[in-house]
Amino acid sequence: MKSLILYWSAGGNTKKVADTIETVLVDKSIPVDKVKIEENLEVELCDYDLVFMGAPSYRWIPPLPVRKFIGNTMDRYRGGARPIGAPRKPGKFGVVFCTFGGIHTGIKEGYVAGKYMAQFFEHVGFLVLDEWYTPGKFHGWEEGSKRGKMGDISDRPNLNDLKIVANSTREILQGLDFEIKIAKR
Ligand SMILES: Cc1cc2nc3c(=O)[nH]c(=O)nc-3n(C[C@H](O)[C@H](O)[C@H](O)COP(=O)(O)O)c2cc1C
């Protein structure tokens, strides 16, 4: 199994989650590439079996470089001639991770960004195994990080948040291992 972590991060919160996922994959001896998203980045997703994609929520959606990367990748997908429907590619799996401040409406501010990335996976035929939402300090907005809807998030993602990410990564790998064993029967 080959894995890829695609992420974008301006302040480091989402990178912490990406780094945690990478640590678990390395620990389990799973080959992994970790790549920061840029709008002109070209990656062949199908070279990988398991792709993690993460971004912060910016005004409820992924930041512009991530949206542009998604748009460019979709334009290139099958030479731009997309089939109607989104046929699944067997054995190709995606996991979404999103960090968010949730200052005004809480975790719902992360959901739209996460679902946006999940739709990308679905459109290219990758089965979305999970979506992870991790609170992340709003850089440059002290008051918002201390007194928002999520409470004081000024130290998030903290060690406990990252422990949850690590455990969730292990669970994904266990689940896939099980699926592969069943498929080989
Ligand atoms: C320009 C900007 C816009 C943001 N907009 C939102 C938002 O609409 N909703 C939200 O929950 N968090 C918002 N945030 C907070 C970020 O999603 C959060 O701090 C995230 O963890 C930052 O990730 P990073 O450190 O990897 O860049 C915003 C942050 C910035 C800098």
Side-chain angles (χ1 to χ4, degrees):
M1 177 162 57
K2 262 183 85 182
S3 68
L4 171 68
I5 302 168
L6 283 173
Y7 76 99
W8 188 90
S9 179
N13 297 344
T14 316
K15 183 173 186 301
K16 280 184 190 165
V17 176
D19 291 347
T20 302
I21 297 168
E22 182 186 29
T23 303
V24 173
L25 292 167
V26 169
D27 185 51
K28 299 279 178 195
S29 307
I30 292 175
V32 54
D33 292 332
K34 187 176 66 180
V35 180
K36 184 168 182 193
I37 294 173
E38 284 165 25
E39 65 177 88
N40 293 322
L41 172 72
E42 290 192 17
V43 249
E44 189 42 77
L45 292 178
C46 285
D47 287 348
Y48 300 91
D49 311 294
L50 177 60
V51 179
F52 295 83
M53 183 175 195
S57 168
Y58 269 25
R59 199 145 280 174
W60 328 313
I61 53 179
L64 194 56
V66 178
R67 296 193 324 259
K68 284 198 168 156
F69 163 75
I70 288 176
N72 293 340
T73 307
M74 290 310 301
D75 287 346
R76 276 201 325 276
Y77 182 63
R78 298 194 180 188
R82 286 203 288 124
I84 292 175
R88 269 210 41 213
K89 294 191 175 74
K92 300 293 176 189
F93 302 99
V95 175
V96 166
F97 58 102
C98 173
T99 68
F100 68 98
I103 314 297
H104 303 289
T105 63
I107 195 169
K108 288 176 278 183
E109 294 190 55
Y111 287 155
V112 183
K115 294 289 177 196
Y116 192 110
M117 293 185 272
Q119 269 308 294
F120 169 59
F121 275 133
E122 218 178 298
H123 275 74
V124 293
F126 277 55
L127 179 68
V128 179
L129 297 177
D130 214 346
E131 297 164 22
W132 302 334
Y133 296 90
T134 306
K137 165 196 177 134
F138 199 127
H139 302 281
W141 191 11
E142 199 90 350
E143 165 110 19
S145 293
K146 285 211 179 286
R147 289 155 41 87
K149 184 107 172 175
M150 302 289 298
D152 186 349
I153 56 160
S154 50
D155 71 336
R156 313 281 292 270
N158 57 23
L159 281 180
N160 194 51
D161 294 320
L162 298 176
K163 215 188 232 178
I164 291 170
V165 169
N167 285 342
S168 305
T169 308
R170 283 186 210 104
E171 264 175 32
I172 290 284
L173 297 178
Q174 271 170 11
L176 280 181
D177 202 35
F178 183 71
E179 279 211 20
I180 289 164
K181 277 186 192 135
I182 296 272
K184 277 187 182 159
R185 271 186 192 167

